[in-house]
Amino acid sequence: MKRLLIFILPTLVACREQPEKAAMSPDSLPVRTSRSAPAAAHDTPSHKPLLKTPRITITDTGGGRFHPVIRDSAEAEATLADLRSLPLSAVRDSATAGIIGDLAKVDPAAARRLFEQWDDALIGAWLDAAKTIAREMGKSDPEAAAAFIRDSIPAAASLSVWAQFLVTLPPADRVPHIEALPEGSEKIRIAGDLVHAWLAEDPAACARWLDGFVQGRDADELREITTSVHGSLQPGADTGQRLTALRTATDPLLRGILAQYLWKKADAAEREALFTEIEQDIPDLARRDRQSAIAAAPADFAASLSPAQAAELPADHMKILIDRWADQQPSAALRWALDHQRPEAAVALHPLYLEDPRQALELAAKVPRGTELDTALASLCAVAAADGHVDLARALLPRIESPAQREATTRNLEDLSK
C-alpha cells in the first residue's frame, strides 16, 4: 500500500493545495519571535516563518530552510516530527527529503529506515531522498545500496536512483548493474557515465565491453554513449586513450562512434596526425574536413588549387568556396571562378552587385550558362530593375537558358519597370 500511495499522490495535488494555502494564510501563521542566525537574516516584518521550532525554520514561501547540521538519527527524527506539524504540501515534502538526505551523509542505514517510513510523499521529493541515500550508501557499502534500490524503489522509477548510485562505483563494477537495467534511453545515459569514466581508466577494456553492448542497437539509440550526464565532473579520457579504444573496438558502428568522438575532441594538430587512421571509420571525413578548410580561408584554399584541381572540385564545395570568398572579396571570387570556367561563379554575382552594380552586370555575361546562372540572373534582374538599371537587366535576359525562367523573369522585369 505504501508504494501505491507514493504514485497515486501526484494526482491528489489539487486536494492538497487547499490545506497548504490555509496554512500559509496570515491568520494561521505563528507569531514571529526572535531567532538565532542564520535564520534571523531572513526574518523580516513581511516574511513570517511558516514553521519555527528550536530545530528547524521554514520561511513562509518555503524557499528557505534553516536547521542545525544533522548528526544522528535522533536529531533527524525530532526534526521530522516538527515537520509533520505542517499540512501535506510540496514544502513539507521538500524539507523532509532534505532532512533524510542530510542524515544519509552520516548514517545511510538510518536514513533508509526513515525513508521507508515516509509513506505520504509526492514522488519527486521522495525520489530526491532516495537518490541521496543510494549515492551516500554506495560510497561505503555498494551491495547495500544496490539492495536498497531493488527492494525499496519501484522498478518503474528506479533508473534515476541507479544513475546516482552507479557513479560512485569503479567503472568495471558498474557493468553487471547496467546490464540488468531495463532497456531505454536512460540506460544509454547511465552507460554514457560509465564510458566517460572507463575510457579514462582502461580504454581497451571499455571498448571490448562496448563491442557487445552496442549489438542490436542503432546509431540513434547510441548517440549519448560517449556523453556523461551524472559523472561529467570526473576527468575524461585524453586523445591517446580515445585512440586506444578505437583501435580495440571491432564493431563497425562502434568504431564510427568512437572515431567521431576522437575527432571531435582532438585539437587541430592532433587531427592532422589522426586523419589517415580514422578516415575509414568516418567515410565523409575528408569531405567535411575540406569544407571546413574552405569556409575558414576560402581565398587561401583557392590559391592552393592547381588548374586541374579547380576543374575537379565538386560543385557543392565550389559553391561553398565562392560563397564564402564573395562575402569578403566578391570581384576576386567571381573573376577566379571565371578564369576556371566554373558555372558556380554565378554565386558571386549578387554580392558583387551590392558592391559594384555595373561590374556585376557586365561580368554576368561571361558566366557559363546553366542552372546556377539562370537562378542568379533571375534574382539579379529583379534587383537591377528595382535600382533603375532596367536596360542593363534586359540585356541579361538572353543569357537565361531556361525558357520558362526567362519568360517569368521578363514578366517580372516589365512589372518592375512600370
Side-chain angles (χ1 to χ4, degrees):
M1 179 61 71
K2 170 184 173 183
R3 292 287 76 81
L4 178 63
L5 180 59
I6 291 295
F7 284 93
I8 290 176
L9 275 170
T11 67
L12 304 180
V13 174
C15 298
R16 290 172 52 165
E17 287 179 350
Q18 202 62 34
E20 182 174 352
K21 290 179 180 177
M24 293 176 63
S25 66
D27 292 340
S28 61
L29 291 176
V31 177
R32 182 166 61 88
T33 59
S34 61
R35 65 175 75 181
S36 59
H42 296 264
D43 189 6
T44 65
S46 60
H47 289 284
K48 297 179 181 179
L50 179 63
L51 175 67
K52 179 178 173 59
T53 76
R55 284 169 290 274
I56 186 167
T57 298
I58 299 178
T59 61
D60 61 348
T61 62
R65 185 179 75 247
F66 312 100
H67 61 82
V69 174
I70 299 296
R71 293 170 295 187
D72 54 41
S73 61
E75 288 183 346
E77 291 183 52
T79 306
L80 291 176
D82 291 346
L83 282 173
R84 284 192 288 274
S85 67
L86 292 174
L88 290 171
S89 65
V91 170
R92 182 174 124 172
D93 285 350
S94 176
T96 301
I99 297 302
I100 292 175
D102 287 350
L103 177 61
K105 296 172 184 177
V106 295
D107 190 343
R112 175 181 179 173
R113 175 176 56 79
L114 293 181
F115 173 82
E116 291 176 343
Q117 294 171 3
W118 186 20
D119 59 4
D120 57 2
L122 294 177
I123 189 64
W126 189 77
L127 282 176
D128 286 344
K131 292 172 190 176
T132 305
I133 293 170
R135 184 174 61 248
E136 296 301 324
M137 191 176 287
K139 295 175 182 178
S140 58
D141 192 344
E143 291 185 7
F148 163 65
I149 300 172
R150 286 192 297 266
D151 298 343
S152 301
I153 313 299
S158 67
L159 285 176
S160 63
V161 185
W162 280 111
Q164 291 292 328
F165 157 58
L166 289 174
V167 294
T168 68
L169 300 184
D173 293 350
R174 304 182 200 181
V175 169
H177 299 294
I178 291 175
E179 291 178 341
L181 296 177
E183 294 298 328
S185 57
E186 186 64 21
K187 178 173 182 173
I188 301 299
R189 283 190 283 272
I190 293 171
D193 293 334
L194 166 63
V195 170
H196 175 80
W198 210 358
L199 284 178
E201 180 180 294
D202 190 342
C206 181
R208 287 192 292 270
W209 176 75
L210 281 171
D211 263 328
F213 184 78
V214 301
Q215 299 305 309
R217 296 182 167 90
D218 59 31
D220 285 341
E221 288 181 279
L222 296 167
R223 64 184 180 275
E224 293 186 88
I225 197 62
T226 56
T227 301
S228 177
V229 176
H230 306 96
S232 58
L233 296 180
Q234 298 178 18
D238 59 27
T239 299
Q241 290 166 323
R242 297 183 194 110
L243 183 57
T244 296
L246 175 61
R247 289 172 173 170
T248 304
T250 60
D251 181 86
L253 173 60
L254 174 60
R255 287 185 60 83
I257 292 171
L258 292 176
Q260 294 276 6
Y261 179 55
L262 174 61
W263 187 255
K264 178 182 177 182
K265 295 292 185 179
D267 60 31
E270 291 170 333
R271 286 185 174 187
E272 186 174 348
L274 292 168
F275 189 91
T276 302
E277 180 153 9
I278 70 174
E279 62 179 336
Q280 63 179 339
D281 296 303
I282 311 177
D284 64 340
L285 179 61
R287 189 179 196 85
R288 285 163 39 193
D289 189 66
R290 177 185 283 172
Q291 288 177 338
S292 298
I294 291 171
D300 292 342
F301 184 86
S304 73
L305 298 176
S306 67
Q309 290 172 325
E312 295 171 359
L313 193 67
D316 57 344
H317 286 179
M318 183 61 77
K319 286 180 181 178
I320 294 173
L321 171 58
I322 302 304
D323 180 60
R324 295 301 178 90
W325 194 1
D327 283 343
Q328 304 162 14
Q329 299 171 305
S331 180
L334 180 54
R335 292 181 184 278
W336 180 88
L338 289 176
D339 288 344
H340 292 87
Q341 284 299 292
R342 294 295 304 238
E344 296 83 9
V347 174
L349 285 173
H350 188 264
L352 180 57
Y353 180 87
L354 298 177
E355 185 178 282
D356 188 339
R358 189 166 295 276
Q359 182 184 184
L361 295 171
E362 290 173 355
L363 291 177
K366 300 180 180 181
V367 176
R369 293 176 183 269
T371 302
E372 290 86 357
L373 180 61
D374 286 356
T375 301
L377 288 180
S379 174
L380 200 60
C381 285
V383 175
D387 286 349
H389 302 296
V390 178
D391 292 340
L392 290 173
R394 285 198 180 105
L396 294 174
L397 289 173
R399 297 284 298 166
I400 299 178
E401 193 171 49
S402 165
Q405 191 153 28
R406 184 169 59 249
E407 182 181 347
T409 304
T410 301
R411 289 197 305 269
N412 188 42
L413 190 59
E414 293 306 321
D415 291 341
L416 290 171
S417 62
K418 290 178 182 179

